[in-house]
Amino acid sequence: MPQATSSQSTVSESEIEQAIQLGIARYFEGCRTRIPAFIDRHFHYPGAIETNRKALGWDMLRAPFNLLWAPVYALACLVKILVRHRAGPTWLYRLADHVPAGFTTQVQQHISDLILTDLLNDGRTGLLLEDYLVDALETVYSRHASEPVDRQRFTTLIEPLLADALSQYRITRTASADITNSISCTVLGAFAFQKFTPGGIGLGVVLASMLAKFMAARDFILGETIGGWYYSWFPPEPSLTTTAGVMVAIMAALAAIAALSGVISDPVQAATGLHRRRLNKLLDHLERDVSLSTQNSFRPKDQYVARILDMFDMIRSGLI
């Protein structure tokens, strides 16, 4: 943590550091006490409907692009982790670091604003953490003839950390939508087709096979009824064009639905404690980063879980 001010020699370094750590601890303790009310207000019904209503509009186009782009961004993040920990080439790290996370949807921005305003700043304007730090330091300085606390130094440190952490939190929205799609496809395949379809690709393969069977039976020389019986024993292989077309249609439909999937997934994640754990983790990382003056270390694992499910879907479907 940078020095709060050019204090006189009567104020020791240890007093300043102790006051800063006390202000940080008090601030984040207050943030954690606001988490349950924040979740109830914005992620349980009826708040979840209001939160995700922002998806109506351009998000219906942004969400499909984000879902398709998510594997590229997850790969870039993985490259950065490997390069950083294994001292790889710096050019590769810089290249991966410039890969964007995708379009920021209105729902993502809305939730980021809610976290910043309601959770981190308790509905106040300006940085509440800065107020805690200044109050703690002014308590120490009041015992000495020192100059006022320099707020600008805290703002310079805190604002980039908050911006990066909230950017990472927005990525979890895309990952959650992708995971919701995978689960929905699995349930739909199990109940509607008695098949294991762990994602859009698997569901597309099943529907392509059904479409190929229907078209073959319809054109069967002895009639559709006998054709249906015949192809139930000897199912035809769908053409590559049919399979690709059905997959594209399924993925497009799922991606469009993903824009509104939070109406279902947010209350479920709130009930199971996922939102609470994710927000607590966000605060834990922010507290550590502010205390140690490090770069943002909040890197949620949701996107990697989503990519593992995608990979399993491709393996199960025989594409890799």
Side-chain angles (χ1 to χ4, degrees), residues 108 111-113 115-117 120 160-171 282 286 296 298:
Q108 289 174 333
I111 293 176
S112 293
D113 293 341
I115 292 174
L116 183 61
T117 303
L120 297 180
L161 287 176
L162 293 180
D164 193 15
L166 292 176
S167 174
Q168 290 297 318
Y169 192 90
R170 286 195 293 268
I171 295 171
L282 170 67
L286 277 176
N296 172 51
F298 179 58

Side-chain angles (χ1 to χ4, degrees), residues 62-89:
R62 294 188 185 104
F65 175 84
N66 286 345
L67 287 177
L68 295 174
W69 183 253
V72 178
Y73 181 75
L75 179 61
C77 292
L78 183 60
V79 168
K80 288 197 296 183
I81 293 174
L82 295 176
V83 170
R84 182 171 62 245
H85 289 290
R86 298 190 180 184

Side-chain angles (χ1 to χ4, degrees), residues 48 139 190 246 278 288:
T139 300
V246 173
R278 190 179 294 133
R288 186 182 72 177

